[in-house]
């Protein structure tokens, strides 16, 4: 059991062991420590990436505060509550997605927000990042695992339906994350390898179709730019050229905090949002980015531990899928900033400036903690 | 499956653990790729990139393309660009907003209105570090004062940009439309790169319809900066491609005449050149000054405009949907003859009212004592309602609908007129769907004199009149005459899509046109006073549109009815009748009668076009002041 080996390296509670104070308020101290470290480190980078603007840092702090409260609230709810509400939340999310397409408000050239009287503006697509894996896990865990072919098909529909709606907004980055969150549940539930192979085959066929029918011109441009950044010196190519320059010039140990010329002379676009990794790479070098990746990996490892020790299939599937989605976030963001993936507008989780994604992510970690701390005292 | 039901939990757990292991391996592989990439960039190629970043003192800035100009048919400039200086603030760079604003207020004279708008913009969603405009259109004096104080106001910039200006202000607001600041909804459908330096976009009219042609293509410049980011020099410049210039069919002199004719009243005039479909004048009175909308109108001014009873913001020419009244009688005459519901010889007795059956309700003729015996030609000339009641009933709604549809009613038949409404051409299926009622014979009776459900815009009436003038040949109404720029006019102008209206007996056209000539030149024509003394023969038809319907036997007394409840006066016509150069539709809201109020306006339009403007040859048109057009009378 190789998985046991890596779990042994993680100091943590043993199943059914004595519960500490943190556990009684349904928080996981290890995950909490890792998250706090990441958020704090993120603020330092953000201060630099946002042109040393205290205003940006302050408003990010406010968002982190909100996100923390959300996490604590989500951690209090028993996983059974999530299971019971899964179909309703999912249905509500679908309705909201359709509503966004009809009456949504736009920003930055896409219709993503829903502005309802009496409620704060929110992005239904963000909500679906949680609702889709929970719904898929609810559906699959009601029956024996691994799931039969017909159930896999239904689960895939559950995952892909919101994805299609989100692509229409258009928001390719979020659509991918939402769809993948559902697919990961199916993967963890034990979808057969043959099917997975077939699925990849289909994706290979679908990619050209996407190219011709779904993707907008500017998205195609991004893919083309990836292959040849010099072809579009004013648009996306500029971004890639500049972020590679920022990363590369950072070297092993970086130019030092607030010393990054690329970001401070406004060469680097979106230096406090999607491209913040480039700021970190320029100012703290290879060591800095490696440390960040290690920190992310520790968070992921702790979450997988929680998943493996969850008490029922539902908890396992939700925790596993949320963890994988979190990883994809990290991979896609660093990949696109370092120029090996097209630019799809995925923020660096918990570090990039912006409220919605932080709240969603912290809510996800709240669900993780809930799964971990509500285990009943029976031997698994 | 409820809790506690037997499942092979141990097996499921093992399955999950195996899958987790796979996931972990894949993740470590992907992390490996990232680390390898970073190693490649930061360790292997470190020196290259360092050199690059050392040399990287170059920034790319977009240069907005100048928007294409718009001219009238005689090359008179209707929409130009002029430099405007504005103060913008990047909130993230301002250490203390309060004190900065109060400093600025000492330097500049910023109206309260602008301050409020600035505060609103601060609260709206925007990209961080994007400048928020505070005050527009600085005077020379203010620019100089800002230059002195700029160094101690971080985050405050003075920017120059080209802003649209309409020298004829209210004359052209409804015809040209206007540009305004790009809003969130518009951003969604824009190419973000192409509009990188642009703040304005066409909001309505020609400005909106031809946005792509007018916009041009963005350029950019590479600017060298020092280590602090201050601009030192421009290294490389890719000039923007200016937008195409448009020449319209519109004649600003005729537009001015139209405005003057309707002065102090409410109404609309649309004039079309039948041979080309070109719109010569498109006036909706009262107008408004579109320049106010370009940089943003003050709340107070906007309220005044939007709450005014005269509705200056309402484009009556394209969006005013009125019952067309008797003005559609010529078109229905064509329908009646072609569908053989009536003949030229057929006469009927008009006692002043019409009944569908002996005990039915009386449909009154406007002439209380009736017209006596009338044939179709007299019925058009004298606007005899009873003849049309009878003919409409014989045709039925389907036939009327079919012909009126071919005259362009019930749809937006224009090529490039942005925002034109379709009016309403009723039909039996429409009534079933919308009103859940069957089509009654009485509805046909009402429709036959353009009352009841039917609605048409002045643009549609002018279009149908132009089709009549052309004897059925279609040229969709259009604003655009030609494009000067890289693109050809044909590429920019939408394709024509209307079939000519072909009727069985070509001679019926001239018969109906003759009857329209009788309206103004005939002994009993409703508008014979208007045709007097004209050096050319023209064709017309008057109409009134009821604002509210009178009870069956109520006396119509204009004095007793408040002015705003009075009938709308309508006139359509074209001149000269046998070689049409111009077709017009006139509506004067609450004008009372078509013959008394609207027909003289039509005649004045004909005179202006045929006698003053075309007879005198091509004399230059000088625009000295906004809204003042002088041309020597020929």
């Amino acid at each position: 059991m190789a998985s046991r080996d890596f779990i042994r390296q993680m100091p943590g509670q043993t199943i059914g062991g004595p519960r500490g104070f943190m556990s009684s308020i349904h928080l996981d101290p290890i995950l909490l420590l890792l998250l706090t470290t990441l958020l704090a480190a993120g603020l330092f980078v953000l201060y630099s990436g946002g042109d040393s603007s205290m205003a940006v840092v302050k408003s990010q702090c406010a968002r982190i505060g909100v996100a923390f409260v959300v996490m604590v609230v989500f951690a209090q709810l028993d996983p059974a509550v999530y299971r019971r509400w899964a179909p309703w939340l999912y249905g509500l999310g679908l309705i909201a997605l359709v509503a966004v397409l009809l009456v949504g408000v736009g920003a930055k050239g896409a219709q993503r927000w829903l502005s309802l009287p009496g409620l704060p503006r929110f992005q239904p697509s963000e909500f679906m990042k949680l609702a889709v894996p929970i719904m898929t896990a609810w559906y699959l865990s009601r029956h024996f695992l691994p799931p039969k072919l017909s159930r896999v098909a239904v689960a895939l529909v559950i995952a892909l339906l919101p994805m299609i709606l989100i692509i229409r907004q258009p928001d390719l980055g979020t659509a991918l994350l939402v769809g993948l969150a559902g697919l990961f549940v199916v993967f963890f539930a034990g979808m057969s390898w043959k099917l997975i192979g077939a699925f990849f085959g289909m994706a290979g066929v679908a990619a050209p179709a996407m190219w011709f029918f779904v993707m907008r011109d500017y998205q195609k441009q991004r893919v083309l730019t990836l292959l040849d950044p010099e072809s579009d010196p004013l648009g996306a190519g500029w971004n890639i050229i500049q972020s590679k320059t920022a990363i590369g010039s950072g070297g092993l140990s970086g130019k030092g905090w607030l010393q990054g010329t690329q970001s401070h002379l406004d060469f680097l676009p979106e230096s406090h949002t999607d491209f913040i990794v480039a700021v970190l790479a320029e100012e703290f070098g290879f060591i800095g980015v490696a440390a960040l990746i290690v920190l992310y990996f520790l968070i992921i490892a702790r979450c997988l531990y929680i998943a493996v020790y969850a008490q029922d299939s539902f908890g396992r599937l939700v925790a596993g899928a949320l963890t994988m989605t979190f990883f994809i976030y990290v991979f896609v963001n660093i990949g696109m900033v370092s120029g090996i993936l097209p630019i799809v507008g995925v923020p660096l989780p918990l570090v990039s400036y912006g409220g919605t994604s932080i709240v969603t992510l912290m809510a996800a970690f709240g669900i993780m903690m809930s799964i971990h701390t509500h285990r009943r005292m029976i031997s698994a | 499956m409820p809790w506690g039901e037997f499942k092979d939990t141990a097996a499921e757990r093992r399955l999950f653990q195996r899958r987790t292991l796979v996931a972990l391996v894949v993740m470590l592989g992907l992390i490996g790729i990232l680390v390898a990439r970073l190693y490649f960039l930061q360790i292997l190629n470190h020196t290259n990139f360092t050199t690059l970043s050392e040399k990287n003192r170059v920034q790319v800035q977009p240069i907005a393309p100048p928007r294409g100009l718009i001219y009238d048919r005689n090359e008179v400039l209707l929409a130009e660009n002029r430099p405007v200086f504005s103060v913008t603030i990047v909130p993230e760079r301002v250490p203390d907003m309060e004190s900065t604003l109060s400093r600025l207020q000492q330097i500049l004279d910023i109206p309260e209105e602008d301050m409020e708008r600035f505060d609103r913009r601060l609260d709206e969603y925007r990209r961080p570090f994007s400048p928020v405009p505070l005050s527009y259109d600085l005077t020379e004096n203010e620019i100089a004062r800002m230059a002195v104080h700029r160094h101690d106001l971080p985050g405050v910039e003075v920017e120059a940009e080209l802003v649209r200006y309409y020298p004829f202000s209210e004359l052209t607001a409804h015809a040209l439309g206007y540009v305004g600041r790009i809003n969130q909804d518009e951003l969604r459908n824009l190419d973000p790169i192409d509009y990188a330096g642009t703040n304005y976009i066409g909001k309505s009219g020609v400005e909106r319809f031809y946005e792509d042609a007018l916009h041009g293509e963005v350029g950019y410049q590479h600017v060298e900066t020092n280590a602090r980011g201050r601009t030192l020099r421009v290294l490389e410049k890719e000039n923007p491609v200016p937008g195409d210039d448009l020449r319209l069919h519109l004649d600003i002199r005729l537009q001015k005449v139209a405005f003057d004719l309707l002065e102090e009243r409410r109404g609309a005039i649309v004039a079309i050149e039948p041979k080309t479909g070109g719109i010569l004048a498109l006036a909706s009175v009262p107008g408004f000054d579109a320049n106010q909308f370009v940089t943003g109108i003050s709340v107070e001014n906007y309220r005044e405009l939007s709450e005014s009873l005269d509705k200056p913001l309402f484009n009556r020419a394209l969006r005013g949907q009125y019952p067309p009244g008797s003005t559609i009688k010529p078109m229905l005459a064509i329908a009646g003859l072609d569908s053989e519901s009536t003949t030229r010889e057929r006469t009927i007795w008009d006692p002043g009212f019409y009944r569908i059956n002996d005990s039915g309700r009386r449909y009154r003729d406007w002439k209380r004592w009736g017209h006596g015996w009338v044939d179709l030609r007299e019925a058009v000339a004298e606007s005899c309602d009873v003849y049309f009641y009878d003919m409409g009933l014989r045709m039925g709604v389907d036939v009327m609908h079919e012909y009126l549809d071919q005259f362009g009613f019930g749809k937006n038949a224009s090529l490039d007129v942005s925002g034109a409404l379709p009016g309403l051409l009723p039909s039996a299926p429409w009534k079933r769907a919308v009103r859940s009622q069957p089509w009654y014979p009485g509805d046909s009776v009402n429709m036959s004199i353009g009352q009841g459900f039917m609605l048409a815009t002045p643009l549609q009436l002018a279009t149908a009149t132009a089709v009549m003038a052309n004897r059925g040949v279609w040229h969709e109404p259009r604003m655009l005459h030609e494009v000067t720029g890289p693109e050809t006019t044909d590429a920019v102008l939408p394709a024509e899509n209307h079939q000519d209206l072909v009727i069985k007996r070509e001679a019926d056209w001239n018969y109906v046109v003759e009857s329209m000539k009788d309206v103004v030149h005939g002994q009993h024509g409703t508008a014979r006073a208007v045709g007097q003394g004209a050096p050319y023969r023209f064709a017309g038809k008057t109409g009134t549109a009821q604002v509210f319907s009178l009870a069956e036997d109520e006396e119509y007394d204009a004095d007793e009815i408040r002015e705003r409840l009075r009938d709308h006066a309508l006139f359509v016509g074209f001149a000269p009748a046998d070689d049409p150069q111009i077709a017009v539709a006139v509506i004067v809201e609450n004008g009372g009668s078509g013959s008394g109020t609207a027909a003289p306006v039509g005649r004045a339009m004909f005179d202006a076009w045929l006698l003053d403007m075309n007879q005198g040859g091509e004399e230059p048109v000088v625009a000295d002041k906004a809204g003042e057009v002088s041309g020597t009378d020929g």
Side-chain angles (χ1 to χ4, degrees), chain A residues 19-286:
Chain A
R19 301 275 175 116
F21 161 73
M22 288 300 256
S23 226
S24 65
I25 54 166
H26 298 300
L27 298 180
D28 178 53
I30 294 174
L31 194 49
L32 197 62
L33 180 73
L34 291 169
L35 291 173
T36 316
T37 311
L38 177 62
L39 287 164
L43 284 175
F44 276 94
V45 184
L46 182 70
Y47 179 72
S48 181
D51 270 357
S52 315
S53 149
M54 221 40 225
V56 169
V57 174
K58 276 182 192 156
S59 89
Q60 183 80 341
C61 280
R63 284 163 174 164
I64 290 173
V66 171
F68 243 95
V69 172
V70 169
M71 179 183 81
V72 171
V73 170
F74 273 61
Q76 304 313 307
L77 301 171
D78 194 286
V81 174
Y82 294 113
R83 193 171 24 204
R84 203 172 313 129
W85 284 93
W88 302 104
L89 292 173
Y90 177 82
L92 204 68
L94 277 188
I95 292 168
L97 280 181
V98 174
V100 158
L101 289 178
L102 298 175
V103 297
V105 279
K108 264 192 182 179
Q111 212 163 312
R112 297 172 190 179
W113 275 265
L114 200 56
S115 204
L116 294 173
L119 288 173
R121 276 208 318 189
F122 80 110
Q123 270 176 286
S125 53
E126 284 289 333
F127 172 78
M128 283 315 246
K129 283 180 187 168
L130 302 176
V132 165
I134 289 174
M135 172 73 188
T136 323
W138 167 82
Y139 176 77
L140 289 175
S141 64
R142 288 163 65 216
H143 305 278
F144 295 108
L145 298 179
K148 288 192 302 201
L149 184 57
S150 61
R151 293 201 204 291
V152 169
V154 173
L156 290 181
V157 170
I158 291 173
L160 296 179
L161 195 63
M163 188 173 164
I164 291 165
L165 288 171
I166 297 168
I167 286 180
R168 296 287 306 277
Q169 289 184 5
D171 187 349
L172 199 61
T174 308
L176 283 174
L177 288 168
V178 168
L180 282 172
L183 294 184
F184 288 138
V185 173
V186 183
F187 165 80
F188 280 119
M191 174 181 178
S192 77
W193 287 108
K194 273 185 206 158
L195 265 179
I196 293 173
F199 200 79
F200 273 106
M202 271 180 21
V205 176
M210 287 265 291
W211 179 266
F212 288 111
F213 301 112
V214 182
M215 286 172 78
R216 305 209 162 195
D217 281 346
Y218 74 90
Q219 290 166 335
K220 292 182 192 177
Q221 189 61 49
R222 286 177 188 173
V223 178
L224 292 174
T225 308
L226 185 72
L227 303 174
D228 179 20
E230 305 288 340
S231 68
D232 182 13
L234 184 64
W238 171 261
N239 295 9
I240 294 178
I241 295 166
Q242 294 306 330
S243 73
K244 274 163 61 177
T245 307
I247 295 170
S249 63
L252 180 67
S253 54
K255 302 174 183 174
W257 191 46
L258 303 183
Q259 302 304 310
T261 49
Q262 282 293 100
S263 43
H264 288 276
L265 295 181
D266 285 343
F267 293 115
L268 189 64
E270 306 280 342
S271 60
H272 58 302
T273 53
D274 291 358
F275 280 73
I276 196 159
V277 156
V279 178
L280 175 81
E282 187 182 17
E283 298 184 350
F284 297 93
F286 182 75

Side-chain angles (χ1 to χ4, degrees), chain B residues 226-492:
Chain B
N226 65 10
R228 283 239 179 78
R230 284 242 179 276
T231 303
L232 299 177
R233 64 196 170 117
V234 177
L235 297 174
E236 186 189 330
K237 197 166 172 184
E238 180 82 28
N239 279 325
V241 180
D244 298 334
D245 293 347
L246 307 183
R247 189 157 77 93
L248 305 182
H249 282 280
L250 202 78
D251 189 314
I252 193 69
R253 296 169 305 172
L254 192 66
Q255 181 81 351
K256 173 94 171 84
V257 170
F259 257 80
D260 291 347
L261 286 168
L262 291 177
E263 206 173 4
E264 300 295 313
R265 295 191 282 193
R266 296 176 306 282
I269 297 176
V270 178
I272 293 178
E273 185 175 41
K275 289 189 176 66
T276 58
I279 293 172
L280 302 172
L282 191 147
S284 173
V285 179
F288 62 95
D289 180 3
N291 292 313
Q292 296 183 76
F293 283 79
V294 176
T295 46
I297 186 169
S298 75
V299 175
E300 199 177 318
N301 290 352
Y302 183 74
R303 188 179 302 129
E304 200 173 304
L305 283 174
S306 61
E307 289 178 3
S308 159
L309 274 178
D310 294 340
K311 294 195 175 155
L313 294 178
F314 181 50
N315 192 338
R316 294 167 166 82
L318 322 174
R319 304 181 68 84
Q321 304 188 107
Y322 306 91
S326 303
T327 53
I328 60 160
K329 282 178 183 170
M331 297 87 193
L332 285 170
I334 290 286
L337 289 171
D338 199 48
S339 64
E340 284 160 8
S341 310
T342 189
T343 62
R344 299 185 191 188
E345 292 74 33
R346 182 182 154 81
T347 56
I348 65 159
W349 173 254
D350 167 16
F353 61 86
Y354 180 75
R355 279 190 176 143
I356 297 177
N357 50 42
D358 285 348
S359 57
R361 106 161 232 196
R362 288 181 167 206
Y363 292 89
R364 299 180 347 174
D365 196 299
W366 64 269
K367 211 166 178 176
R368 298 222 45 194
W369 48 93
H371 294 269
W373 287 102
V374 283
D375 66 3
L376 181 57
R377 184 166 167 172
E378 289 163 333
V380 174
E382 300 174 31
S383 203
C384 165
D385 293 334
V386 169
Y387 191 99
F388 281 88
Y389 289 150
D390 173 69
M391 189 173 82
L393 202 56
R394 291 159 152 275
M395 276 193 276
V397 62
D398 295 349
V399 173
M400 286 193 280
H401 183 280
E402 178 194 340
Y403 283 92
L404 290 175
D405 169 74
Q406 295 201 63
F407 275 103
F409 289 106
K411 57 193 168 195
N412 174 6
S414 67
L415 272 194
D416 63 355
V417 181
S418 172
L421 287 182
L424 172 60
L425 182 56
S427 64
W430 166 84
K431 195 178 174 192
R432 255 198 310 280
V434 176
R435 306 248 168 171
S436 318
Q437 285 178 331
W439 186 269
Y440 298 117
D443 294 329
S444 291
V445 170
N446 275 330
M447 188 169 164
S448 71
I449 60 157
Q451 305 286 5
F453 303 117
M454 186 170 170
L455 296 172
T457 63
L459 176 63
Q460 286 178 313
L461 288 172
T463 307
T465 309
V467 172
M468 185 66 97
N470 282 340
R471 280 54 169 182
V473 175
W474 259 95
H475 295 293
E476 287 88 346
R478 67 206 60 195
M479 300 295 295
L480 182 66
H481 198 318
E482 63 171 346
V483 176
T484 41
E487 295 180 284
T488 61
T489 306
D490 288 341
V492 174

